[in-house]
Amino acid sequence: MPYLWLPDLSESALSRAPRPTFSYSEDTGYGLGVSVNVYGNKWTDVWLSPKFFSRQGFLLGAEWVQRFENGSFQVKASGINQWDRSAFAGEVGDRDWRGAIQTSGTFTPIENWETGWSYTAFTDANYLSDYELTTAKSSTNQVYATHVSEQTYFDIRLQQFNQLGNVTQASQDAQGANLPVTRFEHIIDLEDDMGRLAFEGHLRNVVRNADSRYTAPGNPSPANDVPYIYGYQGAKTHATLQASWQKQIIGGGGFVFTPYVGGRADFSYYDGKSVLLPGEASLLSATPIAAIDVRYPLMASNGADVHIIEPIAQLVYRGSDTTMLGITNDDAQSFVFDDTNLFSYNRFSGYDRQETGLRANIGGRYQANFDNGSYLELIGGQSFQLAGANAFSTVDHANTGVGSGLGNSASYAVLGAYGSFTPGLTFGAKTQLDTSAWTLARFGAGASYSADGYGATLDYRYIRANPGLGQLLDQHEITGGLTIPVADYWSLKTNAAWDLSANSWLQVGGGVVYDDGYLTFGANAQRNGATHTSPNSTSVLATFAIKAPAGLNVGYSGAVPTPNF
């Protein structure tokens, strides 16, 4: 007989421990459930997850997880016959039976390759949200294959995107599907230090069953409304090929020169099925690209502290006056000019837009590392359109780049600052300065402190009114949070936000957390104010997790919304 027995505390064993869940919302009532592993071994796990809701009855869920030597897949199903469907009157969830099936998998068939899929089907788009069943993969149905090696990246996907929430089928039809989207990159480091060749390609075929539109209300008059068109009904294909060469050259006196030459070819086609943009259209474009990056890093050190000052100057030329290379803009709609893209050769976030003409980027960087572990980094500068068409003066139907500060010959000046001067305390700040009037266009600053279980955060954000985007008022807000240890392993957390423009509270919340290194659980409640993007709503977050000795969490975390969240 064994004289000593120790429990299995490995992650695989802890993952099969029952995990209770608790929730509350006005629509579903109080919810109490548990996830139980009814069968498990090295290769297979089967879970049952019943949960009782005081207003809606029993929700039954089951999950099958199957593992292999080179991957795994899972299938999850759940459903409920609602006792009181009137709780969702006027919404897509106003039905007797509601449910969903979710599946996903990943495999590595050969070295450097990964394939997989994810798929979700539901009775209505708000089911997963109403019953806290949303996962990271719930909003994307896709099949993909990805190759990653030291010099090559390749990815191909077929993707359909699900809107989750009280969403009608008409709104789902406005979502674009990538059928397919493909991207590859390959680099070659030339012998004898002759630089690097880079090749890049992209293909995206977007299919929509309806136009995707939104109108930002321009109070106080509808004459100030700003229309947005995020995508057009029909099919759009955009293929891009780009090749480039660059080499870093260190000259006399410490100057660092990096010449860059390349070219880009684009082919686009749109079938014109939208009444907003009727008629077939195609585009064939070639863009020569040349750039030079010059830096003069200066370093000073006393043996402990190190300071680096690095002036930076760039000239970037894109020999085209066509910035709308995708005919319709589906993947380059997000844009904010700041220190992170100050020295980028093309600041648009996707392939459907490109910068044009000759532009100079002037600025610098300062870095300091001190012997006590503290540090400081500053980076800032300005961009200037010297010749040719300014791409940021060409506004597409998604209003990309409106008010970004790059539409004029001289852009806004941008600055970023980051650092820490004492253990546990870090800070950061960003700003956009309109140099034509010497006024702030954007500013944000934040700091955080953590020591001996105590924690504090403080953040401030300002965005100047931008009527071109439908934002008629300045945005000012300040937020803060505190973590206070109250007993062994117990902490109180609280947070609050104030809308300075409206002189009213924006958000307030708080909760309690227990964490002894092996078990953690807690609850947090949050209430939003009238000017929040989710106004006058309340949410509750409950967490429960068991930690393996290595620190890997295995548990449950669920947000419990009330109406309007």
Side-chain angles (χ1 to χ4, degrees), residues 386-470:
L386 303 181
N390 187 342
F392 299 98
S393 298
T394 302
V395 179
D396 57 49
H397 293 90
N399 297 315
T400 305
V402 173
S404 65
L406 285 164
N408 300 322
S409 297
S411 75
Y412 294 159
V414 295
L415 176 67
Y418 316 92
S420 174
F421 293 123
T422 187
L425 176 65
T426 60
F427 69 89
K430 291 174 178 284
T431 186
Q432 280 185 352
L433 179 64
D434 184 350
T435 57
S436 65
W438 294 106
T439 57
L440 282 178
R442 282 176 176 256
F443 179 77
S448 65
Y449 177 76
S450 178
D452 300 325
Y454 291 89
T457 61
L458 184 65
D459 294 280
Y460 168 77
R461 184 179 71 169
Y462 166 78
I463 303 177
R464 189 174 64 185
N466 189 350
L469 293 179

Side-chain angles (χ1 to χ4, degrees), residues 191-271:
E191 297 180 355
D192 300 323
D193 194 27
M194 292 302 295
R196 168 175 288 183
L197 295 174
F199 303 91
E200 181 177 348
H202 177 264
L203 169 66
R204 185 188 299 270
N205 184 62
V206 181
V207 179
R208 295 180 192 269
N209 294 323
D211 295 316
S212 178
R213 309 172 64 183
Y214 169 74
T215 299
N219 296 324
S221 168
N224 297 320
D225 289 356
V226 177
Y228 288 75
I229 303 175
Y230 298 116
Y232 292 91
Q233 179 182 357
K236 184 208 78 175
T237 302
H238 184 191
T240 298
L241 291 174
Q242 182 168 313
S244 65
W245 169 88
Q246 64 178 335
K247 172 179 168 58
Q248 187 179 84
I249 302 170
I250 301 177
F255 280 95
V256 180
F257 303 88
T258 306
Y260 175 103
V261 293
R264 167 173 168 161
D266 290 86
F267 170 76
S268 299
Y269 170 77
Y270 171 61
D271 63 10

Side-chain angles (χ1 to χ4, degrees), residues 54-108:
S54 60
R55 185 172 182 179
Q56 299 298 347
F58 283 96
L59 183 148
L60 299 179
E63 181 178 3
W64 169 32
V65 179
Q66 186 66 48
R67 292 174 288 272
F68 305 91
E69 290 287 353
N70 62 343
S72 66
F73 71 82
Q74 65 174 7
V75 180
K76 182 187 298 185
S78 63
I80 186 172
N81 184 9
Q82 298 185 133
W83 286 355
D84 185 6
R85 57 183 285 181
S86 66
F88 305 100
E91 301 181 4
V92 295
D94 185 4
R95 59 179 70 213
D96 292 327
W97 286 95
R98 302 177 71 186
I101 297 176
Q102 302 165 274
T103 179
S104 64
T106 58
F107 291 88
T108 54

Side-chain angles (χ1 to χ4, degrees), residues 33 71 226 306 534:
V226 177
V306 178
S534 299

Side-chain angles (χ1 to χ4, degrees), residues 90-145:
E91 301 181 4
V92 295
D94 185 4
R95 59 179 70 213
D96 292 327
W97 286 95
R98 302 177 71 186
I101 297 176
Q102 302 165 274
T103 179
S104 64
T106 58
F107 291 88
T108 54
I110 57 177
E111 185 179 5
N112 299 327
W113 280 91
E114 178 180 289
T115 62
W117 76 86
S118 63
Y119 182 80
T120 300
F122 39 65
T123 56
D124 61 272
N126 215 17
Y127 166 71
L128 297 175
S129 301
D130 285 338
Y131 290 97
E132 311 107 48
L133 298 172
T134 303
T135 68
K137 298 178 181 180
S138 299
S139 59
T140 305
N141 297 338
Q142 66 176 344
V143 179
Y144 70 90

